[in-house]
Amino acid sequence: MEATVLGVRVKVACREDVTQGKLWAYGDPHRRLSRRKKDELNLIRLAEAYPELKALYPSELREQLDRG
């Protein structure tokens, strides 16, 4: 996808691609816990802003969002 940023046309990732990258990082057991928690928080914020993205999330994260 392309967008104009500061007057320049550039390629940017769509929400679904950003979400998929965060899901990969969140699910990486070798990643530091603090980094995974940051990814989890990013995913929560994305779901709050764009509820349709929750369908991409693993069940434990969807359940956490439904409880919250």
Side-chain angles (χ1 to χ4, degrees):
M1 172 163 99
E2 287 192 0
T4 302
V5 179
L6 300 174
V8 178
R9 291 294 287 172
V10 295
K11 290 186 178 189
V12 295
C14 67
R15 281 182 223 130
E16 292 80 9
D17 289 344
V18 170
T19 300
Q20 186 59 62
K22 287 292 176 182
L23 286 167
W24 286 329
Y26 168 73
D28 181 356
H30 301 292
R31 198 165 162 84
R32 283 191 342 234
L33 177 61
S34 60
R35 297 298 298 169
R36 288 194 324 265
K37 286 298 183 180
K38 184 177 178 184
D39 295 322
E40 180 181 11
L41 180 56
N42 290 151
L43 287 164
I44 290 168
R45 288 178 175 152
L46 281 166
E48 289 174 345
Y50 307 101
E52 67 276 8
L53 294 175
K54 281 179 25 177
L56 302 172
Y57 290 15
S59 59
E60 71 272 2
L61 191 50
R62 282 195 318 267
E63 290 167 6
Q64 181 180 350
L65 287 161
D66 291 340
R67 284 192 310 266

